[in-house]
Amino acid sequence: MYQSRTVESNQNGVHENLKAQVEKHLTKPFKKPVAEHTQQAFSLFEKTYSSCGRDHLILDACCGVGDSSRKIARMFPDHFVVGVDRSESRLSRQRGDESSMEALDNLLLLRADLMDFYRLLLDGGYRLDRHYLLYPNPYPKAAQIGKRWHGSPAFPSIVALGGKLDVRSNWSIYIEEFAEALSIVGLSAQNSEYVPNEGDYWTMFEKKYHQSGQQLWQLTCDLVGERT
């Protein structure tokens, strides 16, 4: 059993500058040069996806060691799943059980900067059928609003890529903020407490948080079309 530890923050609710933060990124395109390793990863994605024989694409963002990506690939065998994480050490970590190491022909795990990878997907004309953001770093300090996905320059690309979005967190404010950011671009999200099935955890974090007694939260939203 894990020791319970909740998210500590100097915020008591949705960030007061969230609307201004979102609108800034909606009106000012992100122009940072794409990192070379991300460009190479994207080229591998394009090559693999074009030959996989599947027409529907799922992105598992911040996939960590890839447990969730493997689960999703098994759940949707007729879809192609790409799991992306910035940490090479996490992606290369051996999980030690047979099911986690099973070769899946509809799965690709990549080390890449998601901030860049989102733009490359959008500029390449790709659209998502499903999009998972499971337990991203909440960056709970108020000054870190720009590091949360809904407050980052990547948010417009996340919305424009479409698909059924599933965000989970152990910090309710993160989910509330994400819903508020989506409402700014005219999208309605559903928020609820999330209770995982014991023994059927999607990620190591989900297992850790649940077994330590923390409440978990989920946002779901059908993202439609490109927003400006």
Side-chain angles (χ1 to χ4, degrees), residues 18 21-22 24-26 30 115 118 144-158:
L18 177 65
Q21 186 78 11
V22 171
K24 176 181 72 174
H25 295 311
L26 290 171
F30 188 49
M115 200 77 72
Y118 278 127
Q144 296 174 317
I145 178 66
K147 293 185 177 183
R148 302 170 199 162
W149 286 113
H150 47 274
S152 77
F155 182 69
S157 295
I158 290 172

Side-chain angles (χ1 to χ4, degrees), residues 47-68:
K47 179 181 179 180
T48 308
Y49 183 45
S50 66
S51 61
C52 74
R54 275 98 168 168
D55 296 326
H56 300 291
L57 179 63
I58 297 175
L59 174 63
D60 185 21
C62 309
C63 70
V65 297
D67 287 351
S68 53

Side-chain angles (χ1 to χ4, degrees), residues 75-145:
M75 289 172 58
F76 299 97
D78 57 339
H79 289 57
F80 186 76
V81 179
V82 57
V84 179
D85 197 271
R86 66 182 179 181
S87 170
E88 187 172 6
S89 64
R90 281 194 292 264
L91 286 169
S92 62
R93 193 175 303 166
Q94 299 298 306
R95 301 288 292 120
D97 61 277
E98 273 187 27
S99 63
S100 73
M101 303 311 297
E102 173 190 353
L104 299 163
D105 66 356
N106 66 327
L107 172 65
L108 178 66
L109 298 178
L110 294 173
R111 174 185 174 249
D113 183 336
L114 268 165
M115 200 77 72
D116 294 338
F117 199 81
Y118 278 127
R119 282 188 294 157
L120 291 172
L121 281 173
L122 189 61
D123 292 345
Y126 296 96
R127 294 297 181 269
L128 301 177
D129 191 63
R130 293 177 181 271
H131 184 176
Y132 293 90
L133 265 169
L134 306 180
Y135 309 99
N137 188 331
Y139 291 107
K141 295 180 181 178
Q144 296 174 317
I145 178 66

Side-chain angles (χ1 to χ4, degrees), residues 33-51:
V34 173
E36 179 61 28
H37 76 279
T38 300
Q39 186 64 66
Q40 292 175 359
F42 184 75
S43 296
L44 176 58
F45 155 73
E46 289 199 296
K47 179 181 179 180
T48 308
Y49 183 45
S50 66
S51 61

